[in-house]
């Protein structure tokens, strides 16, 4: 079985500029690319799991999202970072695009995206990590049986209630590789 880092996108990988769908509005958070390089060296699968309600709301199209995602993956490959998969949920009950106006299991806090990845890649969920900037990210990880749910403070404002949904609270994804290494060293 493989270990994975499930990573939310907006507010975790890139600055959350509210419905990011254009390359010109996509800015990586400081040092997250370096963190991804380190996590790959540690033999983790990197799997992005992201809610994209802007599709259902008609703010941007699924094609806009796919175009930006392909650009992001290509950009990361310049740094030898291989993203193993990207799962996204285009649904929202308040959507105006009929085909995406629905309730689903893939929209976080639902665990659908993580469980789909688990089946596809034979992931050991108890030794994997969910990293995100919201309580919904943490709850999705819990519902999917992820062993460690890591809340980053690089996105939305973090409340004490949100902090209580996480196993770890860290400043940014950039800190994660060193924290995992320290944790592994303690467990030897």
């Amino acid at each position: 079985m493989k270990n994975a880092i499930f990573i939310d996108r907006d507010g975790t990988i890139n600055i959350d500029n509210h419905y990011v769908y254009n390359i010109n509005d996509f800015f990586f958070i400081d040092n997250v690319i370096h963190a991804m390089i380190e996590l790959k060296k540690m033999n983790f699968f990197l799997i992005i799991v992201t809610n994209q309600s802007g599709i259902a709301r008609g703010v941007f199209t699924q094609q806009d999202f796919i175009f930006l995602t392909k650009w992001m993956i290509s950009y990361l490959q310049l740094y030898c970072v291989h993203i193993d998969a990207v799962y996204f949920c285009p649904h929202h009950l308040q959507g105006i695009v009929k085909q995406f106006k629905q309730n689903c299991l893939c929209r976080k806090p639902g665990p659908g995206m993580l469980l789909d990845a688990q089946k596809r890649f034979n992931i050991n969920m108890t030794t994997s990590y969910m990293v995100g900037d919201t309580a919904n990210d943490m709850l999705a990880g819990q519902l999917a049986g992820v062993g460690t749910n890591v809340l980053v403070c690089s996105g939305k404002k973090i409340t004490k209630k949100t902090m209580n949904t996480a196993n770890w609270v860290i400043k940014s994804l950039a800190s994660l590789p060193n924290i995992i290494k320290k944790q592994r060293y303690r467990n030897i």
Side-chain angles (χ1 to χ4, degrees), residues 21 55 60-69:
Y21 64 92
I55 296 169
F60 56 93
T61 66
Q62 191 166 341
Q63 290 74 25
D64 293 331
F65 171 79
I66 292 168
F67 182 80
L68 176 61
T69 300

Side-chain angles (χ1 to χ4, degrees), residues 11-12 18 67 75 82 90 100 109 120 134 140-141 144 156 163 175 178:
T12 305
H18 201 62
F67 182 80
Y75 189 86
H82 173 72
F100 300 119
R120 178 178 170 195
T134 69
K156 296 173 177 54
M163 284 185 188
S175 309
N178 286 335

Side-chain angles (χ1 to χ4, degrees), residues 94-132:
Q94 296 172 352
I96 61 168
V97 178
K98 187 176 180 180
Q99 74 184 89
F100 300 119
K101 183 178 181 174
Q102 60 179 284
N103 199 3
C104 63
L105 291 176
C106 60
R107 182 170 177 75
K108 295 178 288 181
M113 293 185 280
L114 289 82
L115 295 175
D116 287 347
Q118 177 190 23
K119 290 177 198 164
R120 178 178 170 195
F121 295 107
N122 192 29
I123 293 170
N124 182 343
M125 298 302 259
T126 59
T127 55
S128 293
Y129 299 79
M130 173 66 214
V131 185

Side-chain angles (χ1 to χ4, degrees), residues 37-38 40 101 109 121 124 138 142 145 154 160 165 173 177:
I37 292 168
E38 292 301 309
K40 289 305 281 187
K101 183 178 181 174
F121 295 107
N124 182 343
M138 300 302 97
Q142 290 170 16
S154 54
K160 191 169 188 167
T165 63
L173 175 62

Side-chain angles (χ1 to χ4, degrees), residues 163-178:
M163 284 185 188
N164 290 335
T165 63
N167 300 105
W168 298 350
V169 178
I170 63 176
K171 183 177 179 183
S172 164
L173 175 62
S175 309
L176 187 61
N178 286 335

